[in-house]
């Protein structure tokens, strides 16, 4: 079979330009761009292995010139010739390159494609600008095609170029990684991939099935049905299809490579269950492994400066959703992040049982890599996150897990089972719904039965925007939590945190590391409960709802799973004060969290603002030293206003803000106000503020005298809360239903503080009064910076 495109040898200017022989005109193909030489910054995401968005393109001949035309793949029109023409002519094309015809030989039109490959196809310059790194432009003098690295084959072409961007070099992110931040050089690969000659049958996307929904608008459907076509991305499987094979970068060192292969192969069980035992596997790439080959599904090992995310992506045929190629990027820094957590918890060094503790830390890292590999490959297989799976009988690998930490009978910490090993029942639903085969030819009833069975087993599905970020409201979906009901999980994590902090020592660091890093490890433990705080806060003003279609009934029917699809495992669900029982089906609309569960969570969170919860023990404060010469604090450290040394006041402010940033988030307060208006038994804005004030300015018991710096800790917590309340009040988007009770609560607080026999309290009353009268006359402190806690 001839190659898709030719790469003729340039005898006149070898290496100086790239010639391209084009055989196919007016034939759509996918145009993608990736990086094989990245910048290495977690902040910028311009990594080795980065794959940009795909575009639908084609070459056109216009006299003695060749055009590369890009079409918007989100507008595809079906039907007869007239309908297709109307669709094509209704939306703008983009001519992204043109070049003169040099000659015609062997049935191919030869052009100089140097200007095509030496271009900013990935919009790197714009990306750098948007990330605050300054204005960069492509430097043609130091950019050139890499002819020897370019490849062509029957189904795809890879055109490589060395591309340099010139700029000011003043951005912190580029200065941290670039040899010369004024000249940023990457290797860009332009991939041209043919679409399958025989399109795969489509499977419609369903929002409750856990797959990615890709699609396009088909205006031939106007007046007939919805013009928005949504498809389930999936590989081609079954008779005649090649197996889905992921190759793991041999650059991954052992034993981590074996963990990645093992975790990735967990999905084999799900494919076997639907009758496709040989359809999928993960293996280590050989000596000739090419992570950038568009015909290889690669798991690429990526190094970055700083805490960063891993990523799984699939390149899909926009017509059908068929995944043609997949790439996973695993960040190597995850090894150090997880190891640091394990060492901080177990403080293994210098202990009599050091070897046993270090083995537990190593297994923690390997267990996390197994889960991470399964998770990211799951994305590449076409699956979305499920951040509600910690309420399932067994969590999904498509969740974000936090290590489960047990407490032994003698009060020690146990990391023997930090993560589940293998797939959860939801993962089997994902594979069955996306890849299952059906014997009767009508798959919709069988898929509906599968979804009903999943709902009856309590396998709720909640994805990204509904689970994280300021607008998230679903009570069952918070990333990075350990599972179970939120109040119990928070109480457990607080106990773990207390044990780890009181056992803090130099033993949390390897003996060859500088002691300034003790501060970073202490920060990990001090903020260990951050995700469980978010989960408990989600109950306050929280709601529950599910994904579905308007025509679907909420009543579950007896499921009948079709041939080869398999069954959903069921079991006991997480129990707790507001747990949803197994077998509950998804009804339309949103349902608020019960009033008693909201009040319980609010009380528990407010208690975290008491000095007893905030003060660091002497085991920590007496151990910390500032970073040594030639070392510096990173974003993983708490900020300090104490010069070179650790600032205990900032530690208090950060821990208080963990709670207040959740409970005082304006969207949450809006939900609280409405729920209270409908049902006065549920907490209102006044209840939220009063609970926080009762634990701080209004606490009637005294701070224990043996608490290190106890009075100063409580004083700091009081003022941090007040500053945050006034900051929220300044939000212009705050509704009157939230602003009015918030102002009333602050008026009441000021009245109480004015008569207090304490100058600091009277000063607070004066601050409140001035802010309520003239907000512009008061300078509020910026909210504390909380070191990043994800990915874990």
């Amino acid at each position: 079979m001839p190659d898709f495109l030719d790469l003729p040898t340039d005898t006149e200017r070898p290496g100086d330009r790239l010639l391209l022989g084009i055989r196919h005109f007016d034939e759509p193909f996918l145009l993608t761009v990736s990086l094989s030489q990245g910048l290495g910054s977690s902040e910028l995401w311009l990594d080795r292995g980065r794959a940009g968005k795909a575009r639908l393109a084609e070459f056109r001949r216009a006299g003695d010139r060749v055009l590369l035309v890009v079409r918007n793949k989100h507008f595809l029109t079906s039907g007869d010739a007239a309908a297709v023409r109307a669709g094509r002519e209704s939306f703008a094309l983009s001519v992204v390159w043109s070049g003169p015809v040099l000659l015609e030989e062997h049935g191919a039109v030869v052009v100089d494609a140097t200007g095509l490959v030496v271009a900013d196809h990935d919009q790197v310059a714009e990306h750098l600008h948007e990330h605050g790194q300054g204005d960069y432009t492509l430097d043609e003098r130091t950019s050139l095609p890499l002819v020897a690295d370019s490849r062509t084959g029957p189904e795809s072409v890879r055109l490589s170029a060395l591309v340099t961007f010139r700029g000011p070099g003043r951005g912190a992110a580029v200065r941290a990684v670039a040899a010369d931040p004024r000249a940023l050089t990457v290797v860009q690969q332009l991939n041209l991939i043919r679409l399958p000659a025989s399109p795969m049958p489509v499977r419609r996307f369903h929002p409750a099935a856990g797959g990615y929904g890709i699609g396009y608008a088909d205006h031939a459907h106007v007046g007939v049905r919805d013009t928005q076509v949504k498809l389930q991305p999936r590989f081609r499987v079954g008779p005649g299809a090649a197996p889905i094979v992921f190759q793991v970068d041999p650059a991954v060192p052992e034993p981590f490579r074996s963990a990645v292969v093992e975790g990735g192969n967990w999905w084999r069980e799900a494919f076997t269950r639907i009758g496709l035992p040989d359809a999928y596997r993960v293996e280590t790439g050989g000596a000739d492994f090419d992570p950038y080959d568009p015909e290889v599904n690669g798991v690429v090992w990526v190094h970055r400066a700083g805490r960063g995310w891993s990523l799984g992506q699939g390149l899909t045929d926009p017509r059908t959703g068929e995944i043609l190629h997949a790439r996973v990027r695993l960040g190597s820094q995850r090894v150090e992040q997880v190891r640091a957590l394990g060492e901080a918890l177990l403080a293994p060094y210098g202990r009599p049982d050091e070897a046993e503790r270090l083995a537990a830390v190593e297994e923690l890292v390997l267990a996390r890599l197994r889960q991470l590999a399964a998770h990211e490959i799951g994305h590449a297989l076409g699956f979305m996150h499920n951040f509600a799976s910690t309420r399932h009988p067994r969590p999904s690998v498509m969740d974000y897990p936090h290590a489960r930490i047990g407490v032994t009978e003698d009060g020690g910490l146990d990391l023997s089972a930090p993560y589940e090993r293998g797939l959860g029942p939801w993962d089997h639903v994902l594979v069955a719904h996306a890849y299952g085969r059906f014997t009767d030819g009508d798959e919709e009833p069988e898929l509906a039965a599968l979804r009903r069975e999943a709902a009856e087993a309590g396998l709720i599905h909640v994805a990204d925007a509904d689970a994280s970020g300021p607008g998230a409201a679903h009570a069952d979906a918070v990333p990075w939590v350990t599972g179970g009901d939120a109040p119990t999980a928070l109480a457990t994590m607080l106990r773990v945190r207390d044990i780890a902090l009181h056992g803090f020592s130099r033993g949390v660091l390897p003996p060859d590391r500088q002691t300034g890093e003790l501060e970073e490890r202490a920060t990990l433990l001090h903020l260990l409960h951050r995700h469980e705080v978010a989960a408990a806060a989600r109950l306050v003003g929280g709601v529950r709802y599910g994904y579905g279609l308007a025509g679907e009934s909420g009543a579950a029917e007896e499921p009948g799973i079709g041939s080869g699809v398999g069954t959903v495992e069921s079991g006991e669900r997480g129990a707790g004060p507001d747990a949803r029982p197994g077998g509950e089906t998804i009804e339309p609309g949103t349902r608020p969290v019960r009033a008693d569960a909201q009040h319980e969570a609010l009380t528990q969170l407010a208690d975290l603002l008491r000095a007893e919860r905030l003060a660091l023990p002497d085991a920590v404060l007496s151990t910390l030293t500032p970073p040594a010469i030639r070392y510096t604090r990173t974003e993983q450290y708490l900020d300090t206003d104490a010069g070179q040394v650790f600032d205990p006041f900032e530690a208090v402010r950060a821990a208080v803000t963990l709670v207040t940033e959740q409970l005082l988030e304006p969207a949450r307060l809006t939900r609280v106000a409405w729920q209270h208006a409908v049902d006065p038994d549920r907490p209102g804005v006044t209840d939220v503020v009063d609970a926080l004030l009762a634990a701080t300015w209004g606490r009637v018991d005294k701070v224990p005298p043996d608490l290190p710096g106890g009075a100063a800790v409580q004083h700091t917590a009081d003022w941090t809360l007040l500053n945050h309340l006034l900051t929220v009040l300044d939000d212009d988007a705050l509704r009157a239903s939230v602003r009015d009770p918030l102002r009333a609560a602050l008026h009441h607080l000021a009245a109480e503080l004015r008569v207090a026999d304490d100058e600091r309290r009277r000063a607070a009353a004066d601050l409140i009064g001035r802010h309520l009268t003239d907000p512009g006359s008061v300078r509020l402190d910026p909210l504390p910076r909380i070191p990043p806690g994800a990915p874990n």
Side-chain angles (χ1 to χ4, degrees):
M1 183 177 180
D3 289 342
F4 177 33
L5 299 172
D6 292 343
L7 290 174
T9 301
D10 187 355
T11 57
E12 295 182 11
R13 295 161 54 188
D16 186 41
R17 61 180 182 171
L18 187 146
L19 302 183
L20 195 62
I22 303 170
R23 299 178 180 275
H24 307 276
F25 290 95
D26 305 311
E27 177 184 315
F29 57 85
L30 290 177
L31 179 70
T32 73
V33 62
S34 61
L35 298 180
S36 62
Q37 169 78 51
L39 289 185
S41 169
S42 293
E43 182 179 341
L44 298 178
W45 283 79
L46 297 171
D47 305 325
R48 171 189 191 238
R50 169 185 166 90
K53 293 182 178 180
R55 294 179 289 174
L56 196 59
E58 60 190 60
F59 287 111
R60 292 186 182 179
R61 180 80 180 262
D64 61 353
R65 298 190 68 82
V66 170
L67 311 179
L68 178 61
V69 177
V70 174
R71 292 165 46 198
N72 191 331
K73 65 178 181 177
H74 299 295
F75 297 99
L76 302 178
T77 306
S78 62
D80 58 24
V84 171
R85 177 182 177 183
R88 291 174 66 94
E89 294 177 355
S90 294
F91 301 98
L93 301 172
S94 297
V95 177
V96 298
W97 171 83
S98 74
V101 174
L102 300 181
L103 64 127
E104 298 186 41
E105 60 179 10
H106 310 301
V109 173
V110 179
V111 296
D112 178 357
T114 304
L116 170 61
V117 298
V118 181
D120 187 11
H121 288 283
D122 203 24
Q123 299 179 320
V124 170
E126 182 178 342
H127 187 89
L128 292 168
H129 174 79
E130 290 176 350
H131 284 73
Q133 303 306 300
D135 293 325
Y136 282 80
T137 56
L138 190 145
D139 183 5
E140 295 184 357
R141 297 171 303 168
T142 53
S143 301
L144 67 156
L146 298 177
V147 179
D149 189 45
S150 297
R151 302 280 187 274
T152 185
E155 303 299 332
S156 64
V157 176
R158 182 177 78 192
L159 307 175
S160 299
L162 189 79
V163 183
T164 300
F165 296 90
R166 294 280 176 182
R170 292 189 291 270
V174 294
R175 291 180 67 86
V177 295
D180 184 345
R182 298 168 299 177
L184 304 178
T185 301
V186 299
V187 174
Q188 174 185 271
Q189 295 179 337
L190 202 60
N191 299 298
L192 290 69
I193 301 173
R194 300 184 80 172
L195 294 172
S198 300
M200 186 181 74
V202 303
R203 181 158 294 176
R204 291 179 57 194
F205 167 76
H206 192 285
Y212 274 105
I214 69 164
Y216 55 89
D218 186 345
H219 287 86
H221 295 171
V222 169
V224 179
R225 59 182 183 270
D226 187 5
T227 59
Q228 296 300 315
V229 177
K230 296 292 185 184
L231 307 174
Q232 162 69 56
R234 56 187 184 140
F235 283 92
R236 191 180 297 231
V237 295
I244 307 165
V245 180
F246 281 83
Q247 295 186 16
V248 177
D249 195 337
V252 183
E254 291 289 4
F256 311 129
R257 188 193 314 148
S258 293
V260 169
V261 172
E262 179 185 344
N265 273 317
W266 287 350
W267 291 105
R268 297 187 72 175
E269 178 188 353
F271 281 95
T272 298
R273 183 173 292 187
I274 63 171
L276 296 169
D278 300 319
Y280 169 87
R281 70 178 184 271
V282 178
E283 60 191 25
T284 300
D288 58 348
F289 172 73
D290 183 351
Y292 315 113
D293 186 341
E295 297 180 28
V296 170
N297 303 314
V299 179
V300 186
W301 192 237
V302 179
H303 306 308
R304 304 186 187 100
R307 181 183 286 252
W309 298 84
S310 296
L311 193 70
Q313 296 173 282
L315 176 67
T316 57
D317 182 341
R319 305 168 301 174
T320 65
E322 179 181 356
I323 301 174
L324 307 175
H325 161 69
R327 183 176 299 168
V328 170
R329 281 182 276 161
L330 295 184
S332 65
Q333 80 286 343
R334 190 70 64 92
V335 171
E336 292 305 311
Q337 291 165 208
V338 177
R339 179 172 283 141
L341 175 62
E343 291 172 341
L345 288 165
L346 297 183
Y349 298 101
R351 299 285 192 107
D353 58 348
E354 177 179 314
E356 180 182 342
R357 290 174 182 252
L358 286 177
V361 172
E362 187 70 8
E363 178 51 34
L364 171 69
V365 174
L366 295 176
R368 184 66 184 96
L369 284 179
R370 293 185 197 104
Q371 199 281 338
L372 179 64
H375 179 99
E376 300 303 347
I377 290 177
H379 284 317
L381 288 170
F383 307 140
M384 294 187 73
H385 292 125
N386 188 350
F387 292 131
S389 83
T390 51
R391 306 299 296 273
H392 294 182
R394 181 183 177 95
S396 165
V397 300
M398 300 313 298
D399 210 330
Y400 280 171
H402 193 281
R404 292 177 303 191
I405 310 158
V407 179
T408 62
E409 292 183 359
D410 61 356
L413 298 182
D414 178 14
L415 279 172
S416 60
Y419 302 101
E420 295 284 357
R421 199 161 186 156
L423 302 181
W426 177 251
D427 304 316
H428 288 279
V429 173
L430 292 173
V431 173
H433 201 280
Y435 292 95
R437 294 174 299 159
F438 303 92
T439 56
D440 61 5
D442 184 8
E443 63 185 31
E444 289 302 326
E446 307 286 3
L447 293 173
L450 179 62
R451 294 191 297 270
R452 285 196 301 271
E453 186 182 3
E456 289 172 344
L459 304 183
I460 55 176
H461 168 230
V462 184
D464 299 61
D466 297 294
S468 58
H474 202 293
D476 290 330
V478 182
W480 306 114
V481 294
T482 53
D485 72 279
T488 300
L490 176 55
T492 299
M493 191 61 78
L494 288 171
R495 187 181 178 200
V496 168
R497 172 181 177 269
D498 187 64
I499 293 170
L501 286 173
H502 281 86
F504 192 83
S505 70
R506 288 194 175 198
V508 302
L509 270 183
D512 60 347
R513 302 282 277 272
Q514 60 99 15
T515 55
E517 292 180 60
L518 290 166
E519 191 175 317
E520 182 180 1
R521 303 293 166 94
T523 299
L524 279 176
L525 299 178
H526 184 53
L527 305 178
L528 185 65
H529 58 309
R530 65 167 81 211
H531 306 297
E532 311 298 341
V533 165
R538 190 67 63 78
L539 297 175
V540 181
V543 296
R544 292 187 170 92
Y545 51 90
Y547 306 136
L549 303 179
E552 294 175 327
S553 170
E557 302 173 8
E558 186 68 23
I561 301 302
S563 172
V565 176
T567 59
V568 178
E569 300 172 352
S570 61
E572 292 298 322
R573 307 223 23 237
D578 204 48
R580 298 168 66 246
E584 181 179 341
T585 57
I586 300 300
E587 298 291 344
T590 59
R591 299 168 300 284
V593 172
R594 290 199 325 258
D596 60 336
Q598 294 200 37
H599 282 288
E600 178 186 349
L602 180 56
T603 299
Q604 186 184 31
L605 291 168
D607 183 67
L608 298 182
L609 304 192
R610 294 167 61 87
E612 296 89 327
R613 292 291 195 186
L614 297 166
L616 286 166
D618 186 64
V620 174
L621 296 176
S622 63
T623 305
L624 301 184
T625 57
I629 189 70
R630 297 294 183 185
Y631 294 92
T632 185
R633 287 185 172 86
T634 69
E635 65 173 1
Q636 301 298 126
Y637 289 67
L638 290 163
D639 292 339
T640 177
D641 287 329
Q644 290 292 96
V645 300
F646 179 76
D647 183 353
F649 292 114
E650 190 65 16
V652 174
R653 295 181 69 232
V656 169
T657 304
L658 282 184
V659 176
T660 58
E661 73 175 351
Q662 293 290 333
L663 289 178
L664 298 180
E665 203 280 316
R668 185 184 313 283
L669 293 177
T670 299
R671 296 193 300 273
V672 164
W674 176 253
Q675 290 185 15
H676 180 71
V678 173
D679 180 2
D681 287 340
R682 291 191 173 92
V685 175
T686 300
D687 298 302
V688 172
V689 177
D690 285 351
L692 297 176
L693 291 175
T696 51
W697 295 96
R699 69 176 292 178
V700 294
D701 58 326
K702 292 186 177 181
V703 176
D706 60 342
L707 194 67
V713 168
Q714 190 62 67
H715 177 241
T716 302
D718 296 350
W719 280 90
T720 302
L721 169 62
L722 178 57
N723 185 78
H724 203 150
L725 287 168
L726 296 175
T727 300
V728 171
L729 194 60
D730 279 348
D731 192 326
D732 293 335
L734 215 60
R735 295 180 180 274
S737 56
V738 175
R739 187 184 306 277
D740 291 350
L742 182 55
R743 288 179 63 89
L746 287 167
H747 271 297
H748 182 70
L749 174 63
E752 290 185 341
L753 296 180
R754 285 192 186 97
V755 298
D757 187 20
D758 185 325
E759 289 186 4
R760 292 180 296 182
R761 289 176 172 260
R762 291 197 296 271
D766 177 64
L767 175 69
I768 296 170
R770 287 189 292 115
H771 186 276
L772 294 177
T773 303
D774 181 11
S777 67
V778 175
R779 185 187 68 82
L780 298 175
D781 294 333
L783 299 180
R785 183 191 66 86
I786 299 177
N792 286 322

